């Protein structure tokens, strides 16, 4: 966060450590998106960048990427999209009856195929204790905009 606050200060603008931390938090510390969101926040700031500016810049970033995300979705099956939504919503036990039913994922045997397909498309990562969407902004978009 020091880098962000220092860069703002060097250009005659100010951002608090808390608001610089918000930038990183909104994009889950993804380096590319931290840079993008910091730049958008800086562009929207005349003197002092506040949380409202960061949040507005984040929505702007999401909107800019919306067409790209829509194109990704257009190349997926309904069950792949539903599986991504389950991941974005923080589901962990994909084979449970509740999750299978709520997201219309089919059978528990289908989960392995969905994971493999989305892994092959570089949309998810499988970690020892969870499955995550690689792109945090795409995950947000799925959860809030799709």
């Amino acid at each position: 966060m020091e880098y962000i606050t220092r860069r703002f200060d060097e250009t005659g603008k100010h951002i608090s450590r808390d608001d610089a931390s918000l930038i990183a938090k909104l994009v889950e510390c993804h380096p590319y998106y931290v840079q993008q969101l910091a730049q958008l926040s800086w562009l929207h700031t005349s003197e002092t960048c506040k949380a409202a500016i960061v949040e507005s810049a984040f929505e702007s970033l999401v909107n800019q990427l919306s067409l790209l995300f829509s194109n990704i979705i257009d190349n997926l099956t309904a069950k792949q999209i539903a599986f991504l939504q389950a991941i974005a919503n923080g589901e962990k036990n994909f084979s449970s009856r509740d999750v299978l039913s709520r997201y219309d994922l089919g059978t528990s045997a289908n989960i392995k195929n969905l994971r493999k397909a989305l892994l092959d498309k570089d949309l998810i990562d499988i970690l020892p204790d969870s499955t995550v969407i690689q792109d945090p902004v795409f995950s947000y978009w799925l959860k809030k905009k799709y």
Side-chain angles (χ1 to χ4, degrees):
M1 301 320 98
E2 285 183 34
Y3 178 77
I4 294 171
T5 57
R6 187 176 75 245
R7 294 295 292 156
F8 268 74
D9 289 342
E10 288 172 358
T11 61
K13 297 180 182 186
H14 178 74
I15 186 169
S16 70
R17 287 183 58 82
D18 286 346
D19 292 330
S21 292
L22 178 60
I23 289 172
K25 180 182 173 193
L26 287 171
V27 296
E28 299 177 16
C29 296
H30 189 287
Y32 174 77
Y33 285 135
V34 168
Q35 182 179 9
Q36 292 295 108
L37 185 52
Q39 180 183 28
L40 281 171
S41 298
W42 182 87
L43 289 169
H44 288 97
T45 300
S46 56
E47 291 179 16
T48 302
C49 184
K50 299 285 187 185
I53 293 172
V54 173
E55 290 163 0
S56 173
F58 179 69
E59 287 301 319
S60 177
L61 178 62
V62 172
N63 290 336
Q64 287 174 22
L65 294 169
S66 188
L67 181 60
L68 171 67
F69 297 153
S70 292
N71 287 335
I72 290 169
I73 289 294
D74 288 345
N75 292 305
L76 301 175
T77 68
K79 293 213 183 306
Q80 289 171 342
I81 295 166
F83 188 67
L84 285 172
Q85 288 177 311
I87 296 168
N89 288 328
E91 301 292 352
K92 300 287 184 217
N93 189 3
F94 303 108
S95 295
S96 75
R97 281 188 183 164
D98 179 49
V99 172
L100 289 171
S101 174
R102 188 172 338 128
Y103 294 95
D104 192 26
L105 295 174
T107 65
S108 59
N110 198 34
I111 299 302
K112 181 179 177 182
N113 295 333
L114 291 169
R115 273 195 183 120
K116 181 173 178 357
L118 295 172
L119 192 59
D120 289 347
K121 293 175 184 285
D122 288 326
L123 294 175
I124 64 170
D125 281 325
I126 300 172
L127 306 175
D129 60 340
S130 64
T131 301
V132 297
I133 296 173
Q134 286 184 3
D135 185 324
V137 179
F138 181 46
S139 181
Y140 173 86
W141 180 84
L142 277 168
K143 201 166 149 177
K144 303 289 186 178
K145 304 286 183 175
Y146 182 71

